[in-house]
Amino acid sequence: DLKKSLWLRLRPTGSQLPHCYGHTAVKYKDNQIIVFGGYDGEQVLSTVTKLTIDSENSKYLEIEFSF
């Protein structure tokens, strides 16, 4: 909870983010985090995932895009 400076355990629905490092994550609006790319130990990732943060209804959403 960013407004109260408290940690809450979330159980988001949807496709979970791949386990990776070297990604970029930014806070978007009041309740969303956008995660781009990273490395999963075998390949460089070019995925974009939006995590909506809500204490009762959190969810992951992979965003499709192309270059």
Side-chain angles (χ1 to χ4, degrees):
D1 187 326
L2 296 174
K3 292 179 182 176
K4 296 178 184 176
S5 297
L6 296 173
W7 287 98
L8 300 173
R9 181 175 296 273
L10 302 176
R11 306 244 187 252
T13 60
S15 297
Q16 184 177 6
L17 290 167
H19 296 280
C20 66
Y21 59 93
H23 56 279
T24 299
V26 295
K27 179 179 178 255
Y28 179 70
K29 298 188 180 179
D30 283 336
N31 66 339
Q32 296 177 355
I33 296 174
I34 307 293
V35 180
F36 173 73
Y39 183 70
D40 68 2
E42 295 182 14
Q43 64 181 346
V44 174
L45 305 173
S46 60
T47 56
V48 177
T49 304
K50 178 176 74 172
L51 171 60
T52 301
I53 302 166
D54 182 310
S55 61
E56 295 180 21
N57 189 29
S58 295
K59 62 184 172 183
Y60 291 110
L61 174 64
E62 189 167 335
I63 300 170
E64 305 263 340
F65 71 97
S66 62
F67 292 102

